[in-house]
Amino acid sequence: MKKVVISLFALLAGTSFAMAEDAGCEAFKWPVTREQALFAAAPATPAGAELAVGAAADLALVPAEKAGFTLPPERAPAQGTFGAVASVDVPAGGAIQISLSGEAWVDVIQDGKAIKSAGYSGVKTCPGIRKSVRFKLAAGPATVQFSGAKKAELKVAVLTPE
């Protein structure tokens, strides 16, 4: 009888874990299905490149101390982490959503000033997507800084919020 109870418990626990794993992406405050599709075919992109709104890039990062940040990141990067600077042309309306495949800090700079995020959602149980951050900006050029990444590559999607 004990073996049956333990096996049933293990089966239910495994099912619950699998369901939680599948539901991981649903835990974001907004849908991330566009990012999932874009990340699958994100082209390799060097640091310093322009990020297109409506697309994703597999961004090559450099050691944080060599990233050439325009302003110091809001959260100082730990020793041995990676970063990059990129640009984006913010569309009319000014709202953008930047989603990342892994852990990293995102700063957006416009007109020489760091812009506070307008919304944030982060989930550790969504395969391939770690966080999504929204910003309200003026239309025109902006600088995006990524810092504190533990790996030298980071998939990044820049979208208009749904």
Side-chain angles (χ1 to χ4, degrees):
M1 181 68 177
K2 274 187 175 179
K3 286 183 181 179
V4 172
V5 172
I6 291 171
S7 295
L8 181 60
F9 176 74
L11 176 67
L12 292 174
T15 302
S16 296
F17 179 74
M19 288 171 58
E21 190 80 15
D22 291 344
C25 299
E26 299 299 318
F28 275 100
K29 293 177 186 173
W30 47 79
V32 293
T33 53
R34 296 180 299 164
E35 290 89 333
Q36 289 173 308
L38 290 169
F39 281 174
T45 306
E50 180 164 348
L51 302 174
V53 176
D58 190 352
L59 193 61
L61 307 180
V62 298
E65 64 275 7
K66 295 181 180 181
F69 297 123
T70 304
L71 292 177
E74 183 179 335
R75 183 178 289 172
Q79 187 72 22
T81 60
F82 299 89
V85 176
S87 62
V88 64
D89 189 21
V90 179
I96 61 170
Q97 176 176 305
I98 301 172
S99 300
L100 309 177
S101 63
E103 300 228 8
W105 188 259
V106 180
D107 291 298
V108 175
I109 300 162
Q110 196 170 45
D111 297 325
K113 298 177 188 142
I115 308 298
K116 293 283 183 197
S117 66
Y120 164 83
S121 189
V123 174
K124 291 185 178 184
T125 57
C126 180
I129 301 178
R130 173 61 184 91
K131 73 182 340 180
S132 187
V133 186
R134 290 181 171 175
F135 295 90
K136 290 184 181 172
L137 306 160
T143 300
V144 184
Q145 298 183 157
F146 304 96
S147 59
K150 294 180 180 165
K151 296 179 182 177
E153 67 280 331
L154 182 69
K155 290 185 180 177
V156 177
V158 181
L159 303 168
T160 54
E162 290 183 307

